[in-house]
Amino acid sequence: MRMQTPNAWIAVAIVAPLILALGLWSVVQAASYQWPEDVRWADGEAAGAFEAHFNEHFPLRTLGQNLWGALRFRLLAEGRDGLIVGEQGWFFTEQEFRPYPQAQAHLHQHVQWIRAVDRHLAERGIDLAIALVPSKARIYAEYRGSRDPSPVHQNLYRQARRQLRSAGLLVPDLLAAMERCKGGRQVFLKTDTHWTPAGADCVAESLAADRRMQLSLDGAESGRFEARLVETVQHRGDLMNYLPLAPVFESLLPPPEPVPRIETAALQSASAQALFGEPASVPVALVGTSYSADPLWHFTGALQQALARDVVNLAEAGHGPFRPMARFLASDALQSTRPRLVIWEIPERYLVQPDTETELPPLRTTHARRHMEIRV
């Protein structure tokens, strides 16, 4: 093939030496790296250590990061620590696979914490329902590829549900519900940690169908709610943040996923209490994580429709399930909303994770330990 223009020769004369120089520089810097004596090669520690050295010394850092990220993604099916690359474009958070030290101790502590909250609410005439959300890696195990969760996760959902139910807590079987629903609708996003609005709707329907849930709300003021599709947004999954391919190799990233943005509104006016100037109570309070807090997933609206009751959302994103509950109990929200039922949304993976920062406020009970304070 012949060079047709002088510009082509100029480009070759300038770019080729530059690429050669960068290549030689990179080889020299890579060769200078001293591997730690105790580095582990099987779990990605070696790759992570070399990546850190690579980022620090390689010229044109962004280009280098993108190139290294592209190689890891395309050749090794890996991303940064925190991401599990599955098959057919499915990504998973590493939190659903990681072997947490002292996982059983964390599970026991969290179950005791949940039981204490249940007793605290029960003595105020408030029922507690646990929306124990199964992991995405469990629901879509067929897309995990060769990666299996550590043994602590394998039977976690059923183990935790059994322990909570044996203590008398209301814990509907959302694992069975989501496994049924996924046959007709996608219940988790492929490139995001969270469920889809269809997944949230599936969970809301399952909760509403539970007989104990219905008894908890028996006599509570009901209402009619209507949902409408506002628009369909193109959502970039949060797990794609673990693939540093943009801007050079952005085309290798999976495309954004379409997510319907749904809004739900009450068809009735204010309650009779509000009409007479009294502060209106809200039958249902929702506490939990970003699965509940992010309006894009439409969990609050799905609950309002399924339960035919108003729902106040007190969930928080980015703090796990326990800190939002601690803040809810420590605030005056319980007194101001006066719910009949509290739904506590808890993704199962948090039950085996350590949490040394959340502090439950003192809970008064009529049990032998009248004043409980538990750190989780």
Coordinates of all heavy atoms in Angstrom, one line a residue, residues 15-106:
V15 N 4.2 10.8 14.7 CA 3.5 9.9 15.6 C 4.3 8.6 15.9 O 4.3 8.2 17.0 CB 2.1 9.5 15.0 CG1 1.4 8.5 15.8 CG2 1.3 10.8 14.8
A16 N 4.9 8.1 14.8 CA 5.6 6.8 15.0 C 6.7 6.9 16.1 O 6.8 6.1 17.0 CB 6.1 6.3 13.7
P17 N 7.6 7.9 16.0 CA 8.6 8.0 17.1 C 8.0 8.2 18.4 O 8.5 7.7 19.4 CB 9.4 9.2 16.6 CG 9.2 9.3 15.2 CD 7.8 8.9 14.9
L18 N 6.8 9.0 18.5 CA 6.2 9.2 19.8 C 5.7 7.9 20.4 O 5.9 7.7 21.6 CB 5.0 10.2 19.6 CG 4.2 10.5 20.9 CD1 5.1 11.2 21.9 CD2 3.1 11.5 20.5
I19 N 5.0 7.1 19.5 CA 4.5 5.9 20.0 C 5.6 5.0 20.5 O 5.6 4.3 21.5 CB 3.6 5.2 18.9 CG1 2.4 6.0 18.7 CG2 3.3 3.7 19.3 CD1 1.5 5.5 17.6
L20 N 6.7 5.0 19.6 CA 7.9 4.1 20.0 C 8.5 4.6 21.3 O 8.8 3.7 22.2 CB 8.9 4.2 18.9 CG 10.2 3.4 19.1 CD1 9.8 1.9 19.2 CD2 11.2 3.6 17.9
A21 N 8.6 5.9 21.5 CA 9.2 6.4 22.8 C 8.3 6.0 23.9 O 8.8 5.6 25.0 CB 9.3 7.9 22.7
L22 N 7.0 6.2 23.8 CA 6.1 5.8 24.9 C 6.1 4.3 25.2 O 6.1 3.9 26.3 CB 4.6 6.2 24.5 CG 4.3 7.7 24.5 CD1 2.9 8.0 24.0 CD2 4.5 8.3 25.9
G23 N 6.3 3.6 24.1 CA 6.4 2.1 24.3 C 7.6 1.7 25.0 O 7.6 0.9 26.0
L24 N 8.8 2.3 24.6 CA 10.0 2.0 25.3 C 10.0 2.5 26.8 O 10.4 1.8 27.7 CB 11.2 2.7 24.6 CG 11.5 2.1 23.2 CD1 12.6 3.0 22.5 CD2 12.0 0.7 23.4
W25 N 9.4 3.7 27.0 CA 9.2 4.2 28.4 C 8.4 3.2 29.2 O 8.7 2.9 30.4 CB 8.6 5.6 28.3 CG 8.4 6.2 29.7 CD1 7.4 5.9 30.6 CD2 9.2 7.2 30.3 NE1 7.5 6.6 31.7 CE2 8.6 7.4 31.6 CE3 10.4 7.8 29.9 CZ2 9.2 8.3 32.5 CZ3 10.9 8.7 30.8 CH2 10.3 9.0 32.1
S26 N 7.3 2.7 28.6 CA 6.4 1.8 29.4 C 7.1 0.5 29.7 O 7.0 0.0 30.8 CB 5.2 1.5 28.5 OG 4.5 2.7 28.2
V27 N 7.9 0.0 28.7 CA 8.6 -1.3 28.9 C 9.6 -1.1 30.1 O 9.8 -2.0 30.9 CB 9.3 -1.7 27.6 CG1 10.2 -2.9 27.9 CG2 8.2 -2.1 26.6
V28 N 10.3 0.0 30.0 CA 11.3 0.3 31.1 C 10.7 0.3 32.4 O 11.1 -0.3 33.4 CB 12.1 1.6 30.8 CG1 13.0 2.0 32.0 CG2 13.0 1.4 29.5
Q29 N 9.5 1.1 32.5 CA 8.9 1.2 33.8 C 8.3 -0.1 34.3 O 8.3 -0.4 35.5 CB 7.8 2.3 33.7 CG 8.3 3.7 33.4 CD 9.2 4.2 34.5 OE1 9.0 3.9 35.7 NE2 10.3 4.9 34.2
A30 N 7.7 -0.9 33.3 CA 7.1 -2.1 33.7 C 8.2 -3.1 34.2 O 8.1 -3.8 35.1 CB 6.4 -2.8 32.5
A31 N 9.4 -3.1 33.5 CA 10.5 -3.9 33.9 C 11.1 -3.6 35.2 O 11.6 -4.4 35.9 CB 11.6 -3.9 32.8
S32 N 10.9 -2.3 35.6 CA 11.5 -1.9 36.9 C 10.6 -2.3 38.1 O 11.0 -2.1 39.2 CB 11.6 -0.4 36.9 OG 10.4 0.3 36.9
Y33 N 9.4 -2.8 37.8 CA 8.5 -3.2 38.9 C 9.0 -4.4 39.7 O 9.4 -5.4 39.1 CB 7.1 -3.5 38.4 CG 6.1 -3.8 39.4 CD1 5.7 -2.9 40.4 CD2 5.5 -5.1 39.5 CE1 4.8 -3.2 41.4 CE2 4.6 -5.4 40.5 CZ 4.3 -4.4 41.4 OH 3.4 -4.7 42.4
Q34 N 9.0 -4.3 41.0 CA 9.5 -5.4 41.9 C 8.2 -6.0 42.4 O 7.5 -5.4 43.2 CB 10.4 -4.8 43.0 CG 11.6 -4.2 42.5 CD 12.6 -5.1 41.8 OE1 12.7 -6.3 42.3 NE2 13.2 -4.7 40.7
W35 N 8.0 -7.3 42.1 CA 6.8 -8.0 42.6 C 7.0 -8.3 44.1 O 8.1 -8.8 44.5 CB 6.6 -9.3 41.8 CG 6.2 -9.1 40.4 CD1 7.1 -9.2 39.3 CD2 5.0 -8.8 39.9 NE1 6.4 -9.0 38.2 CE2 5.1 -8.7 38.5 CE3 3.7 -8.6 40.4 CZ2 4.0 -8.4 37.6 CZ3 2.7 -8.3 39.6 CH2 2.8 -8.2 38.2
P36 N 6.0 -8.0 44.9 CA 6.1 -8.4 46.3 C 6.3 -9.9 46.5 O 5.7 -10.7 45.7 CB 4.7 -8.0 46.9 CG 4.2 -6.9 45.9 CD 4.7 -7.3 44.6
E37 N 7.1 -10.3 47.5 CA 7.3 -11.7 47.6 C 6.1 -12.6 48.0 O 6.0 -13.7 47.6 CB 8.4 -11.9 48.7 CG 9.8 -11.3 48.4 CD 10.8 -11.6 49.5 OE1 10.4 -12.1 50.5 OE2 12.0 -11.2 49.3
D38 N 5.2 -12.0 48.7 CA 4.0 -12.7 49.2 C 2.7 -12.4 48.4 O 1.6 -12.6 48.8 CB 3.7 -12.4 50.7 CG 3.5 -10.9 50.9 OD1 3.8 -10.1 50.0 OD2 3.0 -10.5 52.0
V39 N 2.9 -11.9 47.1 CA 1.7 -11.6 46.3 C 1.0 -12.8 45.9 O 1.5 -13.9 45.7 CB 2.2 -10.8 45.0 CG1 3.0 -11.7 44.1 CG2 1.0 -10.2 44.3
R40 N -0.4 -12.7 45.9 CA -1.3 -13.8 45.5 C -1.6 -13.6 44.0 O -2.1 -12.6 43.6 CB -2.5 -13.9 46.4 CG -2.2 -14.1 47.8 CD -3.5 -14.4 48.6 NE -4.5 -13.3 48.5 CZ -4.5 -12.3 49.4 NH1 -3.6 -12.4 50.4 NH2 -5.3 -11.4 49.3
W41 N -1.4 -14.7 43.2 CA -1.7 -14.6 41.8 C -3.1 -15.0 41.4 O -3.6 -14.7 40.4 CB -0.7 -15.5 41.1 CG 0.7 -15.0 41.2 CD1 1.6 -15.3 42.2 CD2 1.4 -14.0 40.4 NE1 2.8 -14.6 42.0 CE2 2.7 -13.9 40.9 CE3 1.1 -13.4 39.2 CZ2 3.6 -13.0 40.3 CZ3 2.0 -12.5 38.6 CH2 3.3 -12.4 39.2
A42 N -3.7 -15.8 42.3 CA -5.0 -16.4 41.9 C -6.2 -15.5 42.1 O -7.2 -15.6 41.4 CB -5.2 -17.7 42.7
D43 N -6.2 -14.5 43.0 CA -7.4 -13.7 43.3 C -7.3 -12.3 42.8 O -8.1 -11.5 43.2 CB -7.6 -13.8 44.8 CG -6.5 -13.1 45.6 OD1 -5.5 -12.7 44.9 OD2 -6.6 -13.1 46.8
G44 N -6.4 -12.0 41.9 CA -6.4 -10.6 41.3 C -5.5 -9.7 42.1 O -5.4 -8.5 41.7
E45 N -4.8 -10.1 43.2 CA -4.0 -9.2 44.0 C -2.8 -8.7 43.1 O -2.4 -7.6 43.2 CB -3.5 -9.9 45.2 CG -2.7 -8.9 46.1 CD -2.1 -9.6 47.3 OE1 -2.5 -10.8 47.5 OE2 -1.4 -8.9 48.1
A46 N -2.2 -9.7 42.4 CA -1.1 -9.4 41.5 C -1.4 -8.3 40.5 O -0.7 -7.3 40.3 CB -0.5 -10.6 40.9
A47 N -2.6 -8.5 39.8 CA -3.0 -7.6 38.8 C -3.3 -6.2 39.4 O -2.9 -5.2 38.8 CB -4.3 -8.1 38.1
G48 N -3.9 -6.2 40.6 CA -4.1 -4.9 41.2 C -2.9 -4.2 41.6 O -2.8 -3.0 41.5
A49 N -1.9 -4.9 42.1 CA -0.6 -4.3 42.5 C 0.1 -3.7 41.3 O 0.7 -2.6 41.3 CB 0.3 -5.3 43.2
F50 N 0.1 -4.5 40.2 CA 0.7 -4.0 39.0 C 0.0 -2.8 38.4 O 0.6 -1.8 37.9 CB 0.8 -5.1 37.9 CG 1.5 -4.7 36.7 CD1 2.9 -4.6 36.7 CD2 0.8 -4.3 35.5 CE1 3.6 -4.2 35.5 CE2 1.5 -3.9 34.4 CZ 2.9 -3.9 34.4
E51 N -1.3 -2.8 38.5 CA -2.1 -1.7 38.0 C -1.8 -0.4 38.7 O -1.7 0.7 38.2 CB -3.6 -2.0 38.1 CG -4.5 -0.9 37.6 CD -6.0 -1.3 37.7 OE1 -6.3 -2.4 38.2 OE2 -6.8 -0.4 37.3
A52 N -1.6 -0.5 40.1 CA -1.2 0.7 40.9 C 0.1 1.2 40.4 O 0.3 2.4 40.2 CB -1.2 0.3 42.3
H53 N 1.1 0.4 40.2 CA 2.4 0.8 39.7 C 2.3 1.4 38.3 O 2.9 2.4 38.0 CB 3.3 -0.4 39.6 CG 4.7 -0.1 39.0 ND1 5.7 0.5 39.7 CD2 5.1 -0.3 37.8 CE1 6.7 0.6 38.9 NE2 6.4 0.1 37.7
F54 N 1.5 0.8 37.5 CA 1.2 1.2 36.1 C 0.6 2.6 36.1 O 1.1 3.5 35.4 CB 0.2 0.2 35.5 CG 0.0 0.4 34.0 CD1 0.8 -0.2 33.1 CD2 -1.1 1.1 33.5 CE1 0.6 0.0 31.7 CE2 -1.3 1.3 32.2 CZ -0.5 0.7 31.3
N55 N -0.4 2.9 36.9 CA -1.0 4.2 37.0 C -0.1 5.3 37.4 O -0.2 6.4 37.0 CB -2.2 4.1 37.9 CG -3.3 3.3 37.3 OD1 -3.4 3.1 36.1 ND2 -4.2 2.8 38.2
E56 N 0.8 4.9 38.3 CA 1.7 5.9 38.9 C 2.8 6.3 37.9 O 3.3 7.5 37.9 CB 2.3 5.4 40.2 CG 3.2 6.4 40.9 CD 3.7 5.8 42.2 OE1 3.3 4.7 42.6 OE2 4.5 6.5 42.9
H57 N 3.3 5.4 37.1 CA 4.5 5.7 36.3 C 4.3 5.9 34.8 O 5.1 6.4 34.1 CB 5.5 4.6 36.5 CG 6.0 4.6 37.9 ND1 5.5 3.8 38.9 CD2 7.1 5.2 38.5 CE1 6.1 3.9 40.0 NE2 7.1 4.8 39.8
F58 N 3.1 5.4 34.3 CA 2.9 5.4 32.9 C 2.6 6.8 32.4 O 1.7 7.4 33.0 CB 1.8 4.4 32.5 CG 1.8 4.1 31.0 CD1 2.7 3.3 30.4 CD2 0.8 4.7 30.2 CE1 2.6 3.1 29.1 CE2 0.7 4.4 28.9 CZ 1.6 3.6 28.3
P59 N 3.2 7.3 31.3 CA 2.9 8.6 30.7 C 1.5 8.5 30.1 O 1.0 7.4 29.7 CB 4.0 8.9 29.7 CG 4.4 7.5 29.3 CD 4.3 6.7 30.5
L60 N 0.9 9.7 30.0 CA -0.5 9.7 29.4 C -1.4 8.8 30.2 O -1.9 7.8 29.7 CB -0.5 9.4 27.9 CG 0.4 10.2 27.0 CD1 0.3 9.7 25.6 CD2 0.0 11.7 27.1
R61 N -1.6 9.1 31.5 CA -2.2 8.2 32.4 C -3.6 7.8 31.9 O -3.9 6.6 32.1 CB -2.4 9.0 33.7 CG -3.0 8.1 34.8 CD -3.0 8.8 36.1 NE -3.6 8.1 37.1 CZ -3.6 8.3 38.4 NH1 -2.9 9.4 38.8 NH2 -4.3 7.6 39.3
T62 N -4.4 8.7 31.4 CA -5.8 8.2 31.0 C -5.7 7.2 29.9 O -6.4 6.2 30.0 CB -6.6 9.5 30.5 OG1 -6.7 10.4 31.6 CG2 -8.0 9.1 30.1
L63 N -4.8 7.4 28.9 CA -4.7 6.5 27.9 C -4.2 5.1 28.4 O -4.7 4.1 28.0 CB -3.7 7.0 26.8 CG -3.3 6.0 25.7 CD1 -4.5 5.6 24.9 CD2 -2.2 6.6 24.8
G64 N -3.3 5.2 29.4 CA -2.8 3.9 30.0 C -3.9 3.2 30.7 O -4.0 2.0 30.6
Q65 N -4.7 4.0 31.5 CA -5.7 3.4 32.3 C -6.8 2.7 31.4 O -7.2 1.6 31.6 CB -6.4 4.4 33.2 CG -5.6 4.8 34.4 CD -6.3 5.9 35.2 OE1 -7.1 6.7 34.7 NE2 -6.1 5.9 36.5
N66 N -7.1 3.4 30.3 CA -8.1 2.9 29.4 C -7.6 1.6 28.7 O -8.3 0.7 28.5 CB -8.5 4.0 28.3 CG -9.3 5.1 28.9 OD1 -9.5 6.1 28.2 ND2 -9.7 5.0 30.2
L67 N -6.3 1.7 28.3 CA -5.7 0.5 27.6 C -5.7 -0.7 28.5 O -6.1 -1.8 28.2 CB -4.3 0.9 27.1 CG -3.6 -0.3 26.4 CD1 -4.3 -0.7 25.2 CD2 -2.2 0.2 26.0
W68 N -5.2 -0.5 29.8 CA -5.1 -1.6 30.7 C -6.5 -2.1 31.1 O -6.7 -3.3 31.2 CB -4.4 -1.1 32.0 CG -4.2 -2.1 33.1 CD1 -4.7 -2.1 34.3 CD2 -3.5 -3.4 33.0 NE1 -4.4 -3.2 35.0 CE2 -3.6 -4.0 34.2 CE3 -2.8 -4.0 31.9 CZ2 -3.1 -5.3 34.5 CZ3 -2.2 -5.2 32.2 CH2 -2.4 -5.8 33.4
G69 N -7.4 -1.2 31.3 CA -8.8 -1.6 31.6 C -9.4 -2.4 30.4 O -10.1 -3.4 30.6
A70 N -9.1 -2.0 29.2 CA -9.7 -2.7 28.0 C -9.1 -4.1 27.9 O -9.8 -5.1 27.6 CB -9.4 -1.9 26.7
L71 N -7.8 -4.2 28.2 CA -7.1 -5.5 28.1 C -7.7 -6.5 29.2 O -8.0 -7.6 28.9 CB -5.6 -5.4 28.3 CG -4.9 -4.7 27.2 CD1 -3.4 -4.4 27.5 CD2 -4.9 -5.6 25.9
R72 N -7.9 -5.9 30.4 CA -8.4 -6.8 31.5 C -9.8 -7.2 31.2 O -10.2 -8.4 31.4 CB -8.4 -6.0 32.8 CG -7.1 -5.8 33.4 CD -7.2 -5.2 34.8 NE -7.7 -6.2 35.8 CZ -7.9 -5.9 37.0 NH1 -7.6 -4.7 37.5 NH2 -8.5 -6.8 37.8
F73 N -10.6 -6.3 30.6 CA -12.0 -6.6 30.3 C -12.2 -7.5 29.2 O -12.9 -8.5 29.3 CB -12.8 -5.3 30.0 CG -14.2 -5.4 29.7 CD1 -15.1 -6.1 30.6 CD2 -14.7 -4.9 28.6 CE1 -16.4 -6.3 30.3 CE2 -16.1 -5.0 28.3 CZ -16.9 -5.7 29.1
R74 N -11.4 -7.3 28.1 CA -11.6 -8.1 26.9 C -10.9 -9.5 27.0 O -11.4 -10.5 26.5 CB -11.2 -7.4 25.7 CG -11.9 -6.1 25.4 CD -13.4 -6.3 25.1 NE -13.6 -6.9 23.8 CZ -14.7 -7.1 23.2 NH1 -15.8 -6.8 23.9 NH2 -14.8 -7.6 22.0
L75 N -9.7 -9.5 27.6 CA -8.9 -10.7 27.6 C -9.2 -11.6 28.8 O -9.1 -12.8 28.8 CB -7.4 -10.4 27.4 CG -7.0 -9.6 26.2 CD1 -5.5 -9.4 26.2 CD2 -7.5 -10.4 24.9
L76 N -9.4 -10.9 30.0 CA -9.5 -11.6 31.2 C -10.9 -11.6 31.8 O -11.1 -12.2 32.8 CB -8.5 -11.1 32.3 CG -7.0 -11.0 31.8 CD1 -6.2 -10.3 32.9 CD2 -6.5 -12.4 31.6
A77 N -11.8 -10.8 31.2 CA -13.2 -10.7 31.7 C -13.1 -10.2 33.2 O -13.8 -10.7 34.1 CB -14.0 -12.0 31.6
E78 N -12.3 -9.1 33.4 CA -12.2 -8.5 34.7 C -12.4 -7.0 34.6 O -12.2 -6.4 33.6 CB -10.8 -8.8 35.3 CG -10.5 -10.3 35.6 CD -9.1 -10.4 36.2 OE1 -8.3 -9.4 36.2 OE2 -8.8 -11.6 36.6
G79 N -12.7 -6.5 35.8 CA -12.8 -5.0 35.9 C -12.0 -4.7 37.2 O -11.2 -5.5 37.7
R80 N -12.2 -3.5 37.7 CA -11.6 -3.1 39.0 C -12.2 -4.0 40.1 O -13.2 -4.5 40.0 CB -11.8 -1.6 39.3 CG -10.9 -0.7 38.4 CD -11.3 0.8 38.7 NE -10.4 1.7 38.1 CZ -10.6 3.0 37.9 NH1 -11.8 3.5 38.3 NH2 -9.7 3.7 37.4
D81 N -11.4 -4.0 41.2 CA -11.9 -4.7 42.4 C -13.3 -4.2 42.7 O -13.5 -3.0 42.8 CB -11.0 -4.5 43.6 CG -9.7 -5.3 43.4 OD1 -9.6 -6.1 42.4 OD2 -8.7 -5.0 44.1
G82 N -14.2 -5.1 43.0 CA -15.6 -4.8 43.3 C -16.6 -5.2 42.2 O -17.8 -5.2 42.4
L83 N -16.0 -5.6 41.0 CA -16.9 -6.0 39.9 C -16.6 -7.5 39.6 O -15.5 -7.9 39.5 CB -16.6 -5.2 38.7 CG -17.3 -5.6 37.4 CD1 -18.8 -5.4 37.5 CD2 -16.7 -4.8 36.2
I84 N -17.7 -8.2 39.3 CA -17.6 -9.6 38.8 C -18.3 -9.5 37.4 O -19.4 -9.2 37.3 CB -18.4 -10.6 39.7 CG1 -17.8 -10.7 41.1 CG2 -18.4 -12.0 39.0 CD1 -16.4 -11.2 41.1
V85 N -17.5 -9.8 36.4 CA -18.0 -9.8 35.0 C -18.5 -11.2 34.7 O -17.8 -12.2 34.7 CB -16.8 -9.5 34.0 CG1 -17.4 -9.5 32.6 CG2 -16.3 -8.1 34.3
G86 N -19.8 -11.2 34.4 CA -20.5 -12.5 34.1 C -20.5 -12.7 32.6 O -19.7 -12.2 31.9
E87 N -21.6 -13.4 32.2 CA -21.7 -13.8 30.8 C -22.8 -13.0 30.2 O -23.8 -12.6 30.8 CB -22.0 -15.3 30.6 CG -20.8 -16.1 31.1 CD -21.1 -17.6 30.9 OE1 -22.3 -18.0 30.8 OE2 -20.1 -18.4 30.9
Q88 N -22.8 -12.8 28.9 CA -23.8 -12.2 28.1 C -24.1 -10.8 28.6 O -25.3 -10.4 28.6 CB -25.1 -13.0 28.0 CG -24.8 -14.4 27.4 CD -26.1 -15.2 27.3 OE1 -27.2 -14.7 27.1 NE2 -25.9 -16.5 27.5
G89 N -23.1 -10.0 29.0 CA -23.3 -8.7 29.4 C -23.8 -8.4 30.8 O -24.1 -7.3 31.2
W90 N -23.8 -9.5 31.6 CA -24.3 -9.4 33.0 C -23.1 -9.1 33.9 O -22.1 -9.8 33.9 CB -25.0 -10.6 33.5 CG -26.4 -10.7 32.9 CD1 -26.7 -11.2 31.7 CD2 -27.6 -10.4 33.6 NE1 -28.1 -11.1 31.5 CE2 -28.7 -10.6 32.7 CE3 -27.9 -9.9 34.8 CZ2 -30.0 -10.4 33.0 CZ3 -29.3 -9.7 35.2 CH2 -30.3 -9.9 34.2
F91 N -23.3 -8.1 34.8 CA -22.3 -7.7 35.8 C -22.9 -7.9 37.2 O -24.1 -7.8 37.4 CB -21.8 -6.3 35.7 CG -21.2 -5.9 34.4 CD1 -21.0 -4.6 34.0 CD2 -20.6 -6.9 33.6 CE1 -20.4 -4.2 32.8 CE2 -20.0 -6.5 32.4 CZ -19.9 -5.2 32.0
F92 N -22.0 -8.2 38.2 CA -22.4 -8.4 39.6 C -21.5 -7.7 40.5 O -20.3 -7.6 40.2 CB -22.4 -9.9 39.9 CG -23.3 -10.8 39.0 CD1 -22.8 -11.3 37.8 CD2 -24.6 -11.0 39.3 CE1 -23.6 -12.1 37.0 CE2 -25.4 -11.7 38.5 CZ -24.9 -12.3 37.3
T93 N -22.0 -7.3 41.6 CA -21.2 -6.7 42.6 C -20.4 -7.8 43.4 O -21.0 -8.8 43.7 CB -21.9 -5.8 43.7 OG1 -21.1 -5.4 44.7 CG2 -23.1 -6.6 44.3
E94 N -19.1 -7.5 43.6 CA -18.3 -8.5 44.3 C -18.8 -8.8 45.7 O -18.5 -9.8 46.3 CB -16.9 -8.0 44.3 CG -15.8 -9.1 44.7 CD -14.8 -8.5 45.7 OE1 -14.9 -7.3 46.0 OE2 -13.9 -9.3 46.0
Q95 N -19.6 -7.9 46.3 CA -20.1 -8.1 47.6 C -21.0 -9.3 47.8 O -21.2 -9.8 48.8 CB -20.9 -6.8 48.1 CG -20.1 -5.6 48.2 CD -20.9 -4.4 48.7 OE1 -22.1 -4.5 49.0 NE2 -20.3 -3.2 48.7
E96 N -21.5 -9.8 46.6 CA -22.3 -11.0 46.6 C -21.5 -12.2 46.5 O -22.1 -13.3 46.5 CB -23.4 -10.9 45.5 CG -24.4 -9.8 45.7 CD -25.4 -9.6 44.6 OE1 -25.3 -10.3 43.6 OE2 -26.4 -8.9 44.8
F97 N -20.2 -12.1 46.4 CA -19.3 -13.2 46.2 C -18.2 -13.3 47.3 O -17.7 -14.4 47.5 CB -18.6 -13.2 44.9 CG -19.5 -13.3 43.7 CD1 -20.4 -12.3 43.3 CD2 -19.5 -14.4 42.9 CE1 -21.2 -12.4 42.2 CE2 -20.3 -14.6 41.8 CZ -21.1 -13.6 41.4
R98 N -17.9 -12.2 48.0 CA -16.8 -12.1 48.8 C -16.9 -13.0 50.1 O -18.0 -13.1 50.7 CB -16.6 -10.7 49.3 CG -15.3 -10.4 50.0 CD -15.3 -8.9 50.4 NE -15.5 -8.0 49.3 CZ -15.7 -6.7 49.4 NH1 -15.7 -6.2 50.6 NH2 -15.8 -6.0 48.3
P99 N -15.8 -13.7 50.5 CA -15.9 -14.5 51.8 C -15.6 -13.6 53.0 O -14.4 -13.4 53.3 CB -14.7 -15.5 51.5 CG -13.8 -14.8 50.6 CD -14.6 -13.9 49.8
Y100 N -16.6 -13.1 53.6 CA -16.4 -12.1 54.7 C -15.9 -12.9 55.9 O -16.5 -13.9 56.4 CB -17.7 -11.4 55.1 CG -18.1 -10.4 54.0 CD1 -19.1 -10.8 53.1 CD2 -17.6 -9.2 53.9 CE1 -19.5 -9.9 52.1 CE2 -18.0 -8.3 53.0 CZ -18.9 -8.7 52.1 OH -19.3 -7.8 51.1
P101 N -14.8 -12.5 56.6 CA -14.4 -13.1 57.8 C -15.4 -12.9 58.9 O -16.1 -11.9 58.9 CB -13.1 -12.4 58.2 CG -12.6 -11.8 56.9 CD -13.8 -11.5 56.1
Q102 N -15.6 -13.9 59.7 CA -16.6 -13.9 60.8 C -18.0 -13.6 60.3 O -18.8 -12.9 60.9 CB -16.2 -12.8 61.8 CG -14.8 -13.1 62.4 CD -14.5 -12.1 63.5 OE1 -14.8 -10.9 63.4 NE2 -13.8 -12.5 64.5
A103 N -18.3 -14.2 59.1 CA -19.6 -13.9 58.5 C -20.8 -14.4 59.4 O -21.8 -13.7 59.6 CB -19.7 -14.6 57.1
Q104 N -20.6 -15.6 60.0 CA -21.7 -16.1 60.9 C -21.9 -15.2 62.1 O -23.0 -15.1 62.6 CB -21.4 -17.5 61.2 CG -21.5 -18.5 60.1 CD -22.8 -18.5 59.4 OE1 -23.9 -18.5 60.1 NE2 -22.9 -18.5 58.1
A105 N -20.8 -14.7 62.6 CA -21.0 -13.8 63.8 C -21.7 -12.5 63.4 O -22.6 -12.0 64.1 CB -19.6 -13.4 64.3
H106 N -21.4 -12.0 62.2 CA -22.1 -10.8 61.7 C -23.6 -11.1 61.5 O -24.5 -10.3 61.8 CB -21.5 -10.3 60.4 CG -20.1 -9.8 60.5 ND1 -19.7 -9.0 61.6 CD2 -19.0 -10.1 59.8 CE1 -18.4 -8.8 61.4 NE2 -18.0 -9.4 60.3

